[in-house]
Structure formats: structure tokens, C-alpha cells
Amino acid sequence: MSGPPPLELHNDGTYVDERTDFVLMMKLAEENMLGGDSRLLHLDDWQELERFYHHPLAKQAIPWGAPPSKNVTCKVEHSVFFEEDCQGRPHMLYIDQFAEPQNLAQGLYLHQLGESLENDPYVFNVQVPVGSMLVVQNHCWLHGRDKFIESPGLRRELLRQRGHFC
Ligand SMILES: [Fe+2]
């Protein structure tokens, strides 16, 4: 299948200074779409979680910045594993394209982590029908989009909402 590359697995809210506890992904319309399924991986299923969670850089702050198109001016700093839930399970805040590693070690860590996620056998695809939505706990689920075939008749309307629990 040719076309745009997949959107790699990530969490939302990595480059903004506000919590994103959940992400709501709704499909409003779709025509002539081939491919482009949502992809998901839960942290509990990630086979190499322990390798990266117990790595010396797992809790080291890294800067994250967004491109101008995102209309976010300030940069934030946080580690990839930024907190644990009430049962001590790790919560993650990661996106490859907006990380700004400050040295080779951070760059390698982020690169290897991304490769591990993309190649994990428990990543699965979900087809979201028009009118349906996915709701994920943002810090325990990584989400992305599979590759799709570009076509002149392709039309897709998606609604994304992000929020936090208060
Ligand atoms: Fe996302």
C-alpha cells in the first residue's frame, strides 16, 4: 500500500502545559478511504515496557515543542514516564516528532523507544465506522494511524476532543 506514512504511536498533550487525561476520537464522515485505521497499544501489553521504564533516562526531563502550525508558543519539559497511577503503574507522555533531545543519549533513548512501540506484536488496528468514536485513557494507551492510499475522492471528517478529569 503506498501513500502517506503511518502516524506513529504517541500520547496527546505532550507539548502543552495542561493535562490530557482522555482523548475522544470521532469519525463524522468518510468517503473513498483505503487504510488509515486507528492503531492502539496499551502500556500493559507493550513487551518492552520494563526495559524503557527502568532505563536511567525514563524520568529525565526532555523539552517538547510544537511546530508553528499548532499555534502553541511555549515549550514544556517533562520525562517520558512522568507519573504513576494509584496502583503504581506508569503513565506515559511521548510523541517522537515533537521531542527535542538535548544529547545523543536522549536521542537514542527516544529513537529506540519509538522503534520498540512500532514493532510491538500487541499493536492492533481498529476500524472506526462513521458515527462511532474511540475514547482512550491518554496516558495508558498509545494511539496512531495506519498508512492509507491517497485518492482524489478521499474525504474524511474527524473530531478530536481532549480533556482532563477534575
Ligand atoms: Fe494523537
Side-chain angles (χ1 to χ4, degrees), residues 23-149:
V23 187
L24 194 154
M25 299 176 268
M26 184 166 186
K27 188 174 289 173
L28 302 176
E30 184 174 271
E31 290 167 22
N32 304 302
M33 185 70 174
L34 269 175
D37 291 349
S38 293
R39 298 171 71 232
L40 292 169
L41 174 66
H42 195 282
L43 278 188
D44 287 349
D45 295 329
W46 181 20
Q47 297 297 285
E48 292 195 303
L49 169 67
E50 296 302 313
R51 174 185 163 201
F52 290 97
Y53 179 50
H54 294 296
H55 191 283
L57 298 183
K59 299 257 178 176
Q60 193 176 94
I62 293 173
W64 309 77
S69 63
K70 298 282 186 185
N71 227 356
V72 177
T73 47
C74 68
K75 279 194 201 308
V76 296
E77 281 202 8
H78 57 77
S79 54
V80 171
F81 293 96
F82 75 108
E83 68 175 16
E84 284 75 31
D85 69 11
C86 57
Q87 294 171 327
R89 300 289 304 160
H91 273 176
M92 213 171 149
L93 197 47
Y94 161 83
I95 186 165
D96 178 66
Q97 58 186 309
F98 302 133
E100 298 179 359
Q102 300 299 294
N103 52 52
L104 184 60
Q106 287 184 354
L108 277 173
Y109 175 69
L110 292 165
H111 174 72
Q112 289 166 357
L113 187 150
E115 292 287 300
S116 173
L117 292 173
E118 290 302 315
N119 292 306
D120 192 274
Y122 287 92
V123 177
F124 63 97
N125 280 30
V126 184
Q127 271 190 349
V128 181
V130 170
S132 296
M133 68 170 97
L134 283 175
V135 181
V136 297
Q137 209 292 11
N138 184 44
H139 299 303
C140 352
W141 285 95
L142 293 129
H143 66 273
R145 191 210 59 236
D146 210 348
K147 51 189 181 295
F148 59 93
I149 295 180

